[in-house]
């Protein structure tokens, strides 16, 4: 194929990809930006004439980098201090290697797992509008020519897709932050309703599946704040959030409902099993005082458990669990009522 024909085909591919991207962005509301990132990843692959491409998101709170569009495998998560992507972001510069297996920063684990052979890599850090790096674009195995990447030429080609990815990711981060409680880093009430629409409603509509939930709060939390101060109260909230998170399966969800109240949604578990899990968590909290630089605070929690009734609204189901929580409080606190 002639150079002119190659250029024309690439242009046609770019226009086709751009059309699909525009169509998806103009269609029904997307549940997240996953499809957009998939399109932009494909666009970067076309622009740089690469065999594969991936867009990595930088979760600075968790100190991880993750992608779902690298090799056709499930989500890949790595520490943000490792790999060529980590090096690119931490040093704030483009990284190119045309001999990856002799590069000490190259992580060959995925290749070993999939049998893929990596010959060349280009990683470009992606920034938000404030110039802060929030992700990275990675293209793998240059096609054509001598199979090696050229920083000036290929970065120029990749810059358009990388810029749009940066804007989309910034929007993603902003949405995520609006759904996250600043103190405990749990999902907040807004995040709860967002997740319910996009994750749990499908389970509720399936007659073969079920959802249970509990609402819990810290016993006499006002006394903690009044006795030890709000800073210590914040530490107690963070410790409780950590315990809840550590005892929450990936398929479940834990949320800060407000103040000292928390909710856990549990999928494919009946009310009795949910109550058992709540009891285990109650015991862990009772057995683990919150230790700060100044104080050691003993605290307990009360729990109200219910099975989700699809005939009731979300608020109606939470109200049922809240009534059980009230019963737990009235009957002596530090207990689970179902």
């Amino acid at each position: 194929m002639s150079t002119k024909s190659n250029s024309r085909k690439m242009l046609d591919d770019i226009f086709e990809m751009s059309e699909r991207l525009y169509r998806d962005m103009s269609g029904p509301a997307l549940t997240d930006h996953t499809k957009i990132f998939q399109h932009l990843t494909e666009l970067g692959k076309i622009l740089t004439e690469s065999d594969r491409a991936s867009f990595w998101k930088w979760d600075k709170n968790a100190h991880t980098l993750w992608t779902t569009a690298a090799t056709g495998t499930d989500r890949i998560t790595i520490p943000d201090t490792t790999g060529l992507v980590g090096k690119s972001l931490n040093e704030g510069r483009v990284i190119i290697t045309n001999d990856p297996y002799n590069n000490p920063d190259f992580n060959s684990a995925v290749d070993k797992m999939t049998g893929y052979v990596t010959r060349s890599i280009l990683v470009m850090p992606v920034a938000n509008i404030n110039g802060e790096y929030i992700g990275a674009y990675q293209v793998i195995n240059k096609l054509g020519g001598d199979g090696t990447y050229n920083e000036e030429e290929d970065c120029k080609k990749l810059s358009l897709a990388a810029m749009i990815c940066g804007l989309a990711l910034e929007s993603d981060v902003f949405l995520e932050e609006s759904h996250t409680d600043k103190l405990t880093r749990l999902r907040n009430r807004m995040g709860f309703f967002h997740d319910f629409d996009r994750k749990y409603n499908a389970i509720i509509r399936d007659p073969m599946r079920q959802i249970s939930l509990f609402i819990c709060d810290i016993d006499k939390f006002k006394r903690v704040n009044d006795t030890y101060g709000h800073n210590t109260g914040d530490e107690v909230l963070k410790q409780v959030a950590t315990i809840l998170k550590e005892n929450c399966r990936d398929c479940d969800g834990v949320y800060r409902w407000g103040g000292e109240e928390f909710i856990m949604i549990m999928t494919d578990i009946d009310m009795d099993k949910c109550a058992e899990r709540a009891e285990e968590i109650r015991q862990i909290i009772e057995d683990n005082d919150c230790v700060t630089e100044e104080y050691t605070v003993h605290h307990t929690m009360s729990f109200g458990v219910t099975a989700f009734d699809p005939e009731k609204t979300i608020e109606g189901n939470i109200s049922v669990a809240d009534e059980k929580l009230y019963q737990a409080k009235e009957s002596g606190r530090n207990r689970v009522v179902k």
Side-chain angles (χ1 to χ4, degrees):
M1 189 179 291
S2 67
T3 302
K4 186 175 181 180
S5 297
N6 275 332
S7 299
R8 181 64 195 179
K9 183 181 183 307
M10 177 180 286
L11 197 58
D12 287 342
D13 288 342
I14 292 169
F15 286 150
E16 183 182 341
M17 180 57 59
S18 299
E19 183 185 17
R20 289 206 300 269
L21 177 60
Y22 176 79
R23 192 165 54 242
D24 282 337
M25 293 179 70
S26 303
L30 298 173
T31 57
D32 57 33
H33 290 132
T34 300
K35 187 172 287 188
I36 294 174
F37 289 126
Q38 288 174 346
H39 287 325
L40 291 170
T41 299
E42 185 68 19
L43 179 59
K45 186 173 77 170
I46 294 169
L47 289 167
T48 57
E49 300 176 88
S50 298
D51 182 51
R52 291 185 174 181
S54 56
F55 185 68
W56 293 78
K57 303 176 187 181
W58 193 0
D59 186 338
K60 295 183 180 180
N61 292 317
H63 302 291
T64 58
L65 299 162
W66 64 272
T67 184
T68 56
T71 61
T73 63
D74 293 332
R75 173 168 166 158
I76 298 170
T77 303
I78 62 173
D80 63 5
T81 55
T82 62
L84 293 170
V85 177
K87 184 179 180 68
S88 175
L89 284 169
N90 283 289
E91 296 184 3
R93 66 184 181 91
V94 172
I95 299 289
I96 292 177
T97 176
N98 292 306
D99 186 17
Y101 293 113
N102 287 316
N103 188 313
D105 295 304
F106 174 64
N107 184 351
S108 61
V110 174
D111 282 15
K112 291 176 181 176
M113 179 177 65
T114 63
Y116 188 74
V117 177
T118 302
R119 297 182 299 275
S120 54
I121 302 173
L122 182 152
V123 183
M124 174 187 284
V126 172
N128 60 20
I129 58 173
N130 296 318
E132 301 163 336
Y133 291 119
I134 55 177
Y137 219 122
Q138 178 178 254
V139 287
I140 298 174
N141 286 354
K142 177 79 171 179
L143 303 174
D146 61 0
T148 63
Y149 287 108
N150 177 277
E151 181 169 344
E152 181 177 357
E153 179 182 335
D154 287 305
C155 285
K156 186 184 296 183
K157 293 177 180 178
L158 193 58
S159 59
L160 174 63
M163 179 188 69
I164 302 173
C165 258
L167 294 174
L169 180 55
E170 186 165 25
S171 173
D172 228 23
V173 170
F174 178 78
L175 180 65
E176 185 66 24
E177 284 298 309
S178 72
H179 290 169
T180 302
D181 176 60
K182 299 295 186 292
L183 177 67
T184 63
R185 304 309 302 174
L186 294 180
R187 304 279 280 173
N188 59 20
R189 190 176 295 210
M190 188 183 299
F192 172 88
F193 285 108
H194 178 273
D195 290 353
F196 222 98
D197 285 341
R198 290 157 177 79
K199 180 179 177 182
Y200 303 119
N201 263 336
I203 299 174
I204 293 168
R205 290 193 297 267
D206 187 341
M208 303 302 293
R209 303 184 69 185
Q210 58 188 329
I211 285 179
S212 297
L213 65 90
F214 65 70
I215 185 167
C216 57
D217 79 358
I218 303 170
D219 296 325
K220 299 182 179 179
F221 184 68
K222 184 178 183 300
R223 184 181 296 177
V224 173
N225 280 331
D226 291 345
T227 303
Y228 303 104
H230 287 276
N231 288 340
T232 299
D234 286 350
E235 292 303 314
V236 171
L237 287 168
K238 288 192 286 187
Q239 186 205 36
V240 166
T242 298
I243 291 172
L244 288 168
K245 197 183 312 181
E246 288 174 347
N247 288 275
C248 179
R249 301 174 304 170
D250 290 341
C251 58
D252 300 333
V254 59
Y255 305 84
R256 186 180 181 190
W257 191 241
E260 66 271 29
E261 286 190 326
F262 302 84
I263 284 180
M264 185 179 290
I265 299 284
M266 304 185 70
T267 61
D268 300 308
I269 280 182
D270 62 23
M271 184 170 64
D272 289 340
K273 290 291 185 183
C274 185
E276 289 176 13
R277 181 67 59 82
E279 174 60 26
E280 291 169 1
I281 294 171
R282 185 204 64 77
Q283 190 66 58
I284 292 170
I285 290 168
E286 183 180 18
D287 292 344
N288 287 272
D289 294 345
C290 179
V291 180
T292 70
E293 291 183 2
E294 296 181 89
Y295 306 108
T296 297
V297 183
H298 180 71
H299 54 93
T300 59
M301 294 191 75
S302 300
F303 296 74
V305 184
T306 189
F308 194 91
D309 182 354
E311 300 299 318
K312 291 187 172 70
T313 63
I314 301 172
E315 293 83 358
N317 278 279
I318 292 174
S319 179
V320 172
D322 207 32
E323 290 173 9
K324 305 287 184 64
L325 173 61
Y326 179 78
Q327 293 174 27
K329 293 284 191 181
E330 288 296 296
S331 59
R333 298 184 175 86
N334 190 25
R335 63 194 59 204
V336 175
V337 172
K338 61 180 180 179

